[in-house]
Amino acid sequence: MAYKSLKKLFYMDSSRDRFANNRRLAAERLNAESTFRTGMMTKEGELFLAVPHELSVLSEQTLRKERVLQGLQVSIPRIARGALVRSLVVDEVVCTNSLEGIHSTRRQISELLESAPSTNSESDKRFRELATLYLGLSRGQADCPKSLQDIRVIYDQVMAGEDLGQNAPDGKLFRRHAVEVIGEGGKTLHEGAQTEGEINGELGSMLALVSSPNVPELYSALISHYIFEYIHPFYDGNGRTGRYLLALYLSRPLSTITALSLSREIAENRAPYYKAFQEAEHPMNHGELTPFVLQMLQYVSAAQDRVIDNLVDKSLLLEKSETALAAAEKTLGLSKGEHNLLYLLVQHDLFAAFPDVRLDDAEGFMGMGRQSVRKYLGLLVERGLASQVGGRPLRFELSAAGRDLLEGE
């Protein structure tokens, strides 16, 4: 039997005592020995997480999938791993923007990550800073916030380049005035913390939760996402900041590639995401976050499945290409440099956001000077196995003939 929310059980109860039954069951769940209490009080009650067997099973399944993911990730070459992670960063930025109704493209984000900050326009700066944050997370270079000031620093990076106007934070760190989240028809869906003092206190509770050794990191990461969005500490940018923090916190108990896959899963199935917030705030649920955490874990699980399927398929294609490349080395008389360059192009073709490789990057990947890389590139172009696709900067990729050869066609 699926775990039922307090609200659902209330509406299933046709007795005269259903209000009393609802309060009694809420108290039982809150005070159960297995429950994780946050200590954060809301008008619905103290936020808490009960741990039914469904949550335990889903948590274990998530951790089992992590072992599968880690095995798949280490089985592919270093260049392929880097290309995969960078592709996930690009998707994460595009999808988290999409959830806020902000249009950005994969090519745009990819090029901004490659460009020098000094060359970016003001309109590009907002996307580049956010992408750089996620890229730092993917490299293990991002620290979880330890103070209110740290949260504000992250927000400033997420929103860099945005013209906030009247939506700029007007308190010491956060907003000073009350806000409402308005839905269709002008209906108020949510009211955030009313004062900056309340914001400070509630964010302090969130920071204490995610640093507590007594709460599993997987649970605290998901609970903190609800808390941050519930508080709504800024006038604008809460969604993007909250999802970055979610990815950051999830990267501790889970792999980076899982943490970088969640926004895409949410963006493609966004209705349950918004409904989960609304349900958690319903008065009849008395602050219970179990259904919310279950929903978010389902997103995590689905994101893992997507990445696992993708890695399995592309790993098989890479193995096939390696066999074909070894055969082509003999039949075509490829030099070692040509072989290595082709293998680089194969990995990018399969795992990167875009198949083209910059000459500068190829130098680093192959450990060769520019002239050597140019020489081998020229030989591959002459053989019809590679194509130049850009001049400034110089880019190249597998040609159609090269793909056919390495796919065994």
Side-chain angles (χ1 to χ4, degrees):
M1 180 184 295
Y3 187 76
K4 292 182 174 60
S5 68
L6 292 165
K7 171 195 166 187
K8 187 167 187 177
L9 290 172
F10 171 78
Y11 286 114
M12 290 173 62
D13 187 350
S14 59
S15 72
R16 295 181 179 179
D17 299 325
R18 63 178 186 161
F19 284 96
N21 291 339
N22 175 255
R23 291 191 295 271
R24 174 184 54 77
L25 184 54
E28 288 177 0
R29 290 184 177 183
L30 174 66
N31 295 307
E33 290 186 1
S34 60
T35 291
F36 293 99
R37 300 177 64 159
T38 68
M40 178 174 162
M41 299 302 299
T42 69
K43 61 183 179 182
E44 292 80 35
E46 180 183 353
L47 297 179
F48 70 94
L49 174 69
V51 187
H53 76 273
E54 290 93 340
L55 181 57
S56 297
V57 170
L58 188 54
S59 299
E60 183 184 12
Q61 289 174 347
T62 298
L63 297 177
R64 284 180 180 273
K65 289 178 185 178
E66 281 301 298
R67 290 201 291 271
V68 175
L69 271 172
Q70 289 168 8
L72 287 168
Q73 192 174 10
V74 299
S75 70
I76 60 177
R78 176 181 62 85
I79 292 171
R81 287 200 300 271
L84 169 69
V85 170
R86 199 177 184 92
S87 176
L88 291 174
V89 167
V90 170
D91 280 346
E92 190 72 2
V93 174
V94 169
C95 290
T96 197
N97 282 339
S98 173
L99 283 162
E100 302 304 315
I102 299 169
H103 177 70
S104 56
T105 67
R106 298 176 81 238
R107 174 60 77 179
Q108 180 183 24
I109 302 304
S110 182
E111 290 180 351
L112 286 172
L113 283 173
E114 294 174 352
S115 64
S118 60
T119 65
N120 297 157
S121 66
E122 280 300 311
S123 61
D124 284 337
K125 183 179 179 182
R126 57 178 183 157
F127 295 151
R128 189 184 194 284
E129 291 298 318
L130 181 58
T132 301
L133 272 179
Y134 277 107
L135 193 61
L137 186 158
S138 75
R139 294 170 173 169
Q141 299 169 344
D143 294 324
C144 293
K146 296 179 176 60
S147 67
L148 300 181
Q149 289 80 5
D150 290 343
I151 294 175
R152 175 57 191 269
V153 168
I154 289 172
Y155 171 81
D156 288 341
Q157 290 175 285
V158 169
M159 301 299 286
E162 292 278 0
D163 182 12
L164 292 172
Q166 294 182 344
N167 287 327
D170 53 3
K172 291 183 178 179
L173 292 173
F174 308 108
R175 58 176 170 81
R176 284 196 303 151
H177 302 292
V179 295
E180 294 180 342
V181 178
I182 306 298
E184 294 181 3
K187 180 181 178 181
T188 298
L189 299 178
H190 173 70
E191 294 179 357
Q194 296 298 295
T195 67
E196 188 170 25
E198 289 181 11
I199 292 171
N200 292 340
E202 292 173 1
L203 284 178
S205 296
M206 184 192 83
L207 292 174
L209 173 73
V210 292
S211 64
S212 172
N214 299 316
V215 183
E217 289 181 323
L218 183 58
Y219 295 163
S220 64
L222 299 174
I223 294 171
S224 72
H225 185 55
Y226 176 81
I227 291 176
F228 185 85
E229 301 301 339
Y230 180 90
I231 297 168
H232 223 71
F234 303 101
Y235 295 116
D236 188 25
N238 295 285
R240 280 169 287 171
T241 305
R243 282 187 294 278
Y244 171 74
L245 289 172
L246 174 61
L248 186 56
Y249 286 132
L250 281 177
S251 68
R252 299 189 301 182
L254 303 179
S255 62
T256 298
I257 55 178
T258 295
L260 290 173
S261 303
L262 204 53
S263 286
R264 177 177 177 181
E265 200 62 40
I266 293 171
E268 294 182 2
N269 304 275
R270 62 185 70 193
Y273 177 68
Y274 295 121
K275 184 178 179 182
F277 281 101
Q278 295 175 23
E279 289 293 297
E281 199 172 349
H282 195 282
M284 290 302 168
N285 282 320
H286 299 277
E288 183 181 10
L289 296 180
T290 310
F292 177 85
V293 170
L294 281 167
Q295 177 60 61
M296 293 303 297
L297 263 181
Q298 288 168 12
Y299 279 124
V300 171
S301 180
Q304 289 175 312
D305 288 339
R306 186 197 294 265
V307 177
I308 288 172
D309 289 346
N310 184 47
L311 270 173
V312 167
D313 290 344
K314 291 185 175 179
S315 294
L316 291 173
L317 290 172
L318 182 62
E319 289 179 13
K320 185 178 179 181
S321 294
E322 288 170 343
T323 301
L325 183 55
E329 186 175 9
K330 295 178 180 179
T331 58
L332 299 179
L334 296 177
S335 65
K336 183 178 179 180
E338 289 175 284
H339 174 281
N340 292 343
L341 188 54
L342 264 180
Y343 192 45
L344 166 64
L345 295 180
V346 167
Q347 292 178 66
H348 258 258
D349 198 69
L350 288 174
F351 292 95
F354 297 96
D356 49 289
V357 179
R358 296 192 309 171
L359 180 63
D360 291 347
D361 292 333
E363 291 176 40
F365 291 144
M366 297 181 66
M368 295 180 178
R370 179 175 293 264
Q371 293 307 314
S372 295
V373 175
R374 277 183 176 274
K375 180 183 76 172
Y376 293 124
L377 171 59
L379 291 172
L380 291 178
V381 171
E382 287 177 11
R383 293 179 185 273
L385 300 178
S387 302
Q388 182 175 328
V389 293
R392 291 186 179 180
L394 178 61
R395 297 173 181 269
F396 51 95
E397 65 182 37
L398 280 178
S399 65
R403 290 190 182 93
D404 289 344
L405 174 70
L406 297 177
E407 290 172 5
E409 297 181 2

